[in-house]
Each structure stands twice: as C-alpha cells, then as structure tokens.
Amino acid sequence: FALEPPGAYSYRDSEAAPFDASRDEALLVPCLQAAKRRCPHLTLIGSPWSAPGWMKSSGSLVGGSLRPAMLPQYCRYLLQAVLFWQSHGLPLHAVTLQNEPFHGWAKYPCMTLDEGQQARLAALLSRLLRANGLATRVLGHDHNYSLVKRAEALLAAASPGDIDGTAWHAYQGRPADALHGAVASLPVYVTEQTAHTHRPREAEEKGTAAGSVAWAVRNVLVGPALLGAVCGLQWNLALDETCGPVLRGGPTNCRGLVEVPSGGGPHERSPEWYGVAHASAAVAAATEAAGCWRVASSRDCEAEKVTVLVTATAGGRWSVVAHNGGGAPVRLRIAFDQAPAEGAGEEEEGAEAPELTSPVWSWEEWQEWLRVEAD
C-alpha cells in the first residue's frame, strides 16, 4: 500500500491540511477488519516511523528529528490516528513513541527522538489519550536490545505512569542483555524482527533453515517470553520472491514470513514461520478473551539443550512450546507437580532436532508449576 504513488505518506501533508486517513480507509481498514473477524481477539499495535515532514527538522519524512515546538501538534496528530482506528472497530492496544528512534540516517521514513524528547512526548500523549477515554498504552524505546542503556535513561527521565512499557527489536543484542531491572518492571513487547536472508528454499539448501528457526525462538519468541515479554512479532508478514515490494530507500534483503510469488502460484513458508506457528498455536491468547499467562517451569537439563515455554489460560488450557537446540534427538518427560486427576503422568515425545513441538492439553484443573526433564 505504501508503494502506491506518491509512496510513503502521512495523515497530514501540511500544517494547513486537514487530517486525512482516506488511503488507509480504502486499503488497510478492510484488510484488518477481515483479520479481526477471523481472530476477534487480534491485538493491534501502532508504530509511527516518522512525524509529518513539516513537523521535522529535515522538512521530510526521511531523516531529521521532531522540532520541539511541534510536540503538542504531534501529540494531537497521534491522538487523531488512534481515534481513526478506534472508529473503524480497530482499537490500538498500544502505540510506540517512535520506530527505532536512534536510527535517523536511513533513506526511508525515519526520525530521531532522544530519551528526553520521548519522555516529554509520553507525558503529553498519555494524558491526551486518557482525557479522550482511550486505554491505548504508550510504549517507549522500540529499538534494539543492545541499546538498553538508552531505554533505562528514558524510564529514568519519564514520570511514573507516563510510559506503560517498552518495545524491542532483536537486530542487535540479546534478550538477556535488556529485559531486566527497570525495563522488566514494566510490560515488555518485542515488536519487530525480520530475517535478513534470501528465499526460504535457498536457506534450506545451504543448511541454515534450522538455525533460523532456533535464532527466532531464542531472540523473538520463546526467549523474550521467558524473561517476561508479552508478545513477539516478525516483520514483514508477506513478501514476494525478490524480497519485495520494497519501499523507496528501504532494505532489499528482508524476508517475509510467507513468500507470495508475484506471478501467482502457491506460497512458500520461511523458516521463521514455523517458530511463529508453534508459538501462536500453543499460546492460545487469540482464542480466549481472558488471554493467557506464562507458567513458571524448571528443567533438569541445560537451557541451551531444551528451551521450554509453558502457558495456561483461565479456561483451563495448558500448552508447552519446546525447542531442541542440542543437535540430537531428545525425549521429553513432562511432569506436573501435584498433577491433576486426569492426564497425570502423561509423556510427550518430540522436539527431535532440529524441530519444535507444541503439545496442548485441556484439563479442568491446572497447577502453577511444571517440570520438564530431558533424558
């Protein structure tokens, strides 16, 4: 949709122009409404890549920073965007203050927003959202694990209640580098990661498909969840066989979760698709309005050998995602402390290298502790 002339766009092209989201109304709203009908508990997060060019030091969507005098106007602009989506039955669970705020030199839409600017923007925006009866959360940082010091500086600069959590990308650093201390005291969202590789079948021929799945599990899906993250998102959802379409000035080697041939024909799944599919099928937040919770677990083996995520829902649905990263077949014995009357002692054989397994059980009772042993 962003490739249609004139390319990247904002909702307000000049200070004198009215707010205009008609392009999204024609192209994106029907798509997201269809997705919402299929998955009623679909959660939407908005992430601006740039303020309108006339609000910035560069005068363009590309590069530059937000002009200080434009802060109140930009807050009202973001409020209008949230209200637009809300009016179409697509409420935003959260908005980030800025996508990758410390990366302002790209040739595609971007904007620098330092810690102090983010804190001031969060203060105004959070109050404006609440004053308009909106529960949309405000997320800061929205950048790499390696920049944890900048996220900590943001949280120190912000007043309590202005920022509802932090958003993270996995292009540099590891989850364990960032998701602790002050960061872990607020909700954590992993909001973006793409695979910088060419077509899935080429990756498989080179023997890297299993490594791609393992990396996504450790850094985007299961690894962050074990440290308290509430979501893990891959980007892009679908691209063609040339890793496109590509926004003008944007990267040309980003692989989508699904490859859709430009000339028609069956789609192809990327290695990362399998990690997302297992985690999504097991977690079950999309099928129960009350959502799900991570359950504390322990294992009698090295964390590098078997990675395990356990979740449960208020409706009594248990799930386990297990990834075998040890390079050899592993037999899992899953044991519940004070096991329920039904299902006690059940075993699940799986997670044979390089695969994932995600067994799901539904019991009337569920306990708060689960132990996984690898023989």
Side-chain angles (χ1 to χ4, degrees), residues 25-222:
E25 195 162 24
L27 296 170
L28 290 183
V29 167
C31 179
L32 290 176
Q33 287 176 335
K36 193 81 169 175
R37 287 192 295 271
R38 185 178 181 87
C39 180
H41 305 299
L42 179 68
T43 300
L44 301 177
I45 298 174
S47 183
W49 281 32
S50 174
W54 57 273
M55 296 186 185
K56 298 169 59 182
S57 61
S58 64
S60 165
L61 294 177
V62 178
S65 59
L66 184 67
R67 291 161 49 201
M70 291 291 106
L71 193 62
Q73 288 207 54
Y74 188 44
C75 278
R76 289 193 291 273
Y77 173 89
L78 293 175
L79 171 66
Q80 286 177 297
V82 174
L83 289 171
F84 166 79
W85 291 106
Q86 179 102 359
S87 70
H88 288 82
L90 299 166
L92 297 186
H93 169 78
V95 290
T96 71
L97 295 169
Q98 169 63 33
N99 175 71
E100 299 191 346
F102 309 115
H103 181 61
W105 56 88
K107 295 181 180 179
Y108 51 82
C110 61
M111 183 175 76
T112 56
L113 203 67
D114 65 27
E115 298 91 333
Q117 289 175 306
Q118 288 188 63
R120 291 190 290 275
L121 178 59
L124 289 176
L125 182 59
S126 61
R127 288 162 176 73
L128 198 56
L129 291 170
R130 305 300 171 260
N132 283 271
L134 296 166
T136 302
R137 300 183 180 189
V138 175
L139 306 181
H141 191 62
D142 206 16
H143 214 150
N144 291 324
Y145 297 134
S146 60
L147 298 172
V148 61
K149 295 298 183 184
R150 306 206 70 162
E152 291 170 344
L154 166 61
L155 295 178
S159 298
D162 288 349
I163 291 180
D164 299 303
T166 52
W168 297 85
H169 299 179
Y171 298 108
Q172 293 179 351
R174 302 173 303 163
D177 297 335
L179 309 188
H180 54 74
V183 170
S185 69
L186 292 172
V188 167
Y189 297 72
V190 180
T191 51
E192 181 188 319
Q193 184 60 37
T194 190
H196 287 284
T197 308
H198 293 292
R199 302 176 68 182
R201 52 175 164 269
E202 293 175 356
E204 291 165 358
E205 289 167 2
K206 295 175 183 176
T208 61
S212 294
V213 175
W215 193 93
V217 168
R218 289 195 306 269
N219 292 282
V220 182
L221 302 168
V222 174

Side-chain angles (χ1 to χ4, degrees), residues 198-262:
H198 293 292
R199 302 176 68 182
R201 52 175 164 269
E202 293 175 356
E204 291 165 358
E205 289 167 2
K206 295 175 183 176
T208 61
S212 294
V213 175
W215 193 93
V217 168
R218 289 195 306 269
N219 292 282
V220 182
L221 302 168
V222 174
L226 291 173
L227 294 171
V230 300
C231 71
L233 304 179
Q234 289 280 162
W235 175 86
N236 280 285
L237 179 62
L239 293 172
D240 66 19
E241 70 278 5
T242 66
C243 297
V246 176
L247 189 67
R248 183 185 304 170
T252 59
N253 63 337
C254 294
R255 179 172 66 211
L257 278 182
V258 175
E259 178 186 305
V260 181
S262 56

Side-chain angles (χ1 to χ4, degrees), residues 226-314:
L226 291 173
L227 294 171
V230 300
C231 71
L233 304 179
Q234 289 280 162
W235 175 86
N236 280 285
L237 179 62
L239 293 172
D240 66 19
E241 70 278 5
T242 66
C243 297
V246 176
L247 189 67
R248 183 185 304 170
T252 59
N253 63 337
C254 294
R255 179 172 66 211
L257 278 182
V258 175
E259 178 186 305
V260 181
S262 56
H267 70 269
E268 200 172 322
R269 299 167 179 171
S270 74
E272 293 77 17
W273 182 91
Y274 294 93
V276 172
H278 274 275
S280 298
V283 166
T287 60
E288 292 192 21
C292 66
W293 292 266
R294 181 176 63 86
V295 179
S297 63
S298 61
R299 54 183 169 270
D300 298 337
C301 62
E302 302 88 350
E304 295 76 15
K305 189 174 182 180
V306 177
T307 303
V308 178
L309 172 66
V310 186
T311 61
T313 71

